[in-house]
Amino acid sequence: MKITALRKPTTPATTAAEGSIRDTSHQDVARDPATRGEDRRRKLLVIGSAALLAVLVLAWLVRGWLASSHTVSLERLRIATVTRGHFVRDVAAQGTVIAAVSPTLFATAPGTIAYQVRAGDAVKRGDTLATLDSPTLRNEFERERATLAGLDAALARQAIEIRRQNLLNQEQADLADVQIRAAERELARAQSAWDSRVIPERDLRKAQDDVATARLNHDHANATAGLERESLQLDLRTRRLDRDRQALLVKDLERRVAELAVRSPVDGTVANLAQAERANVAQNAPLVTVVDLGVFEVEFQVAESYATEIRSGMPAEIMLDGRNYPGTVASISPEVRQSQVTGRLKFAGEPPKSLRQNQRASIRIVLDERDGVLAFDRGASLDELTRAVYVVRGDRAVRTPVQLGAASIAKIEAISGLAENDRVIVSGTGDFQDAPEITIVD
């Protein structure tokens, strides 16, 4: 069987078309060169806009990722509201109840101690607590007392010598006076004889010279007696001063000997015995402490930054066994030890009856009070040096620069950066790593 291919019928037009080669000239369009530059700029603008949109989308995604990395549960946060009102600046500290009067008695001389009481014994003022046997002090006292007796005898002997010397000086003055009168009588006889011309003039002149000599001797005797009297009085005063100085020394030794019997200076209780029974102690060694349980104070310590602000007489509160008692600052130490300053409070009214030595107490001292202050509850990590806090805005908390002022136990002053009714996170924000914003979830 023979298969014959079918052929399309040909026409003259078809034959003419097939006879020529077809090109793309009919598809090309002629363009102006200025139009081509504008199209290039338009294309670049579209590409730039797409890139900017991509960057914005990426930034939005990164921001969402950062916010999601600092997501905090609301239950973990403590939020305080900024309010305006009365602000009390105070300081809190822990204190210890101590006796206001608790003298410690010391040894006045080296010796052997013998106690008459035990710790906890009640004593009265003047009761003997212990006796100190000090042979060295007693020997010194007896020696100096003997020296004083010798000076007393020397002083009495000097007084006798002064009287004797004064008598001799007076005797010389009296003899000179007698010689004056004798010379005057001789001069009168010589004058009478001379008037009768029975003696030569030379004898008259000699009688006159004798009177002048007697008067001169009398004047010198009186002057010498005065000088001797002043000298003897000065010697007597010197010996009296030596005796008085020795008497003071003996009096001091007598006092120290009397203090060998250690007596209680106050009514109170024996707190402790510092030495063992019959122990040899050195001079100025502590022996026994007595406390007066009738007057108590509270000793406290605060940071040295408060030292210049706390003054005697400031009001305070003392908390004991859950109850508050009014008090005042009794004293504040000028010395700083380990960045702490020690002070004392006294009870303003009647102290509680059940106070005990070394009992723990909480104290609060009022430093300043003002009205119309913008403040909020203080967190553990907030103080005057804090420079930024997290302010709650809806479900987010924004880190906001602030300036904080005075801080009290419960509140802290907001100077700038916060407004009334702002809500501030006051719990620990250390985990936020200073993120500019955090997300709060229920």
Side-chain angles (χ1 to χ4, degrees):
M1 182 175 179
K2 186 178 179 179
I3 301 174
T4 303
L6 296 179
R7 292 187 177 183
K8 184 179 178 180
T10 61
T11 62
T14 304
T15 304
E18 289 178 352
S20 62
I21 299 175
R22 184 178 297 178
D23 57 17
T24 61
S25 60
H26 66 281
Q27 297 177 354
D28 296 333
V29 179
R31 305 292 298 274
D32 187 3
T35 305
R36 284 183 293 177
E38 183 179 353
D39 291 342
R40 187 179 297 109
R41 287 193 297 271
R42 186 181 296 111
K43 188 180 297 183
L44 291 176
L45 180 61
V46 171
I47 294 173
S49 300
L52 178 60
L53 181 60
V55 171
L56 292 176
V57 171
L58 180 61
W60 181 80
L61 292 175
V62 170
R63 180 185 177 190
W65 176 80
L66 290 175
S68 63
S69 64
H70 291 91
T71 301
V72 183
S73 174
L74 181 62
E75 297 178 353
R76 293 178 51 193
L77 301 178
R78 187 163 69 91
I79 301 175
T81 302
V82 179
T83 59
R84 187 179 299 276
H86 187 69
F87 179 77
V88 178
R89 183 165 177 253
D90 50 11
V91 59
Q94 294 296 316
T96 304
V97 177
I98 61 173
V101 180
S102 56
T104 299
L105 306 178
F106 298 86
T108 58
T112 303
I113 187 67
Y115 288 105
Q116 309 297 323
V117 294
R118 294 292 179 264
D121 290 352
V123 294
K124 297 291 185 181
R125 180 186 180 93
D127 288 352
T128 301
L129 307 178
T131 56
L132 190 65
D133 184 16
S134 178
T136 302
L137 180 60
R138 293 188 182 276
N139 289 339
E140 183 181 2
F141 171 62
E142 295 297 334
R143 184 172 60 254
E144 297 300 336
R145 190 166 64 172
T147 301
L148 177 61
L151 291 178
D152 284 336
L155 182 62
R157 184 165 49 252
Q158 181 67 21
I160 295 173
E161 180 64 23
I162 288 176
R163 290 197 298 272
R164 186 184 66 81
Q165 190 64 38
N166 287 336
L167 288 175
L168 290 176
N169 293 333
Q170 186 64 39
E171 180 182 1
Q172 295 296 329
D174 292 342
L175 290 175
D177 185 61
V178 171
Q179 290 176 358
I180 290 176
R181 290 196 297 271
E184 288 177 347
R185 285 194 300 271
E186 288 297 328
L187 177 60
R189 286 194 295 270
Q191 184 66 43
S192 177
W194 167 253
D195 291 340
S196 300
R197 298 296 188 272
V198 296
I199 61 172
E201 184 180 2
R202 182 184 57 206
D203 292 341
L204 176 64
R205 300 303 180 189
K206 181 178 182 302
Q208 292 174 346
D209 293 340
D210 290 341
V211 171
T213 300
R215 288 176 178 172
L216 183 62
N217 289 335
H218 180 266
D219 293 339
H220 285 178
N222 286 332
T224 301
L227 292 176
E228 285 289 339
R229 186 162 47 252
E230 292 179 4
S231 177
L232 293 174
Q233 291 295 333
L234 184 60
D235 291 342
L236 181 64
R237 181 185 176 187
T238 302
R239 290 184 179 272
R240 184 176 289 113
L241 291 175
D242 292 339
R243 193 280 310 270
D244 293 343
R245 181 171 60 252
Q246 186 66 23
L248 292 176
L249 178 60
V250 170
K251 185 177 181 180
D252 181 66
L253 289 173
E254 185 178 9
R255 177 187 58 80
R256 293 175 58 190
V257 169
E259 290 177 350
L260 293 178
V262 183
R263 303 181 185 277
S264 175
V266 295
D267 297 340
T269 303
V270 178
N272 62 77
L273 306 180
Q275 306 293 335
E277 181 70 18
R278 306 301 301 174
N280 289 324
V281 296
Q283 185 175 359
N284 297 324
L287 300 178
V288 60
T289 301
V290 182
V291 296
D292 183 2
L293 299 180
V295 181
F296 284 99
E297 292 181 349
V298 178
E299 186 177 74
F300 65 91
Q301 288 185 334
V302 295
E304 62 177 314
S305 58
Y306 294 105
T308 58
E309 300 183 68
I310 299 178
R311 299 181 300 275
S312 298
M314 279 187 168
E317 289 184 358
I318 304 171
M319 179 178 289
L320 288 166
D321 299 329
R323 297 185 60 185
N324 290 332
Y325 299 91
T328 57
V329 178
S331 63
I332 187 73
S333 174
E335 182 180 7
V336 178
R337 292 186 177 181
Q338 298 179 353
S339 301
Q340 298 286 318
V341 177
T342 302
R344 285 194 178 189
L345 298 180
K346 61 182 179 180
F347 290 91
E350 186 69 20
K353 301 296 183 182
S354 58
L355 285 180
R356 294 291 182 270
Q357 181 87 342
N358 296 325
Q359 183 177 352
R360 302 294 296 177
S362 298
I363 65 108
R364 172 177 171 266
I365 302 173
V366 178
L367 301 179
D368 184 23
E369 291 188 58
R370 288 177 288 162
D371 290 322
V373 176
L374 200 65
F376 59 95
D377 292 343
R378 180 183 180 184
S381 60
L382 297 178
D383 56 25
E384 302 88 29
L385 302 179
T386 300
R387 293 293 176 261
V389 296
Y390 285 90
V391 180
V392 178
R393 310 290 187 193
D395 62 348
R396 295 186 178 275
V398 181
R399 192 170 188 268
T400 305
V402 296
Q403 181 181 358
L404 303 182
S408 66
I409 299 174
K411 290 185 176 294
I412 188 167
E413 180 184 11
I415 298 178
S416 64
L418 295 175
E420 193 171 359
N421 297 323
D422 279 350
R423 301 172 66 212
V424 180
I425 297 178
V426 296
S427 55
T429 58
D431 296 338
F432 300 167
Q433 300 178 359
D434 294 337
E437 186 176 299
I438 62 172
T439 301
I440 302 175
V441 296
D442 293 334

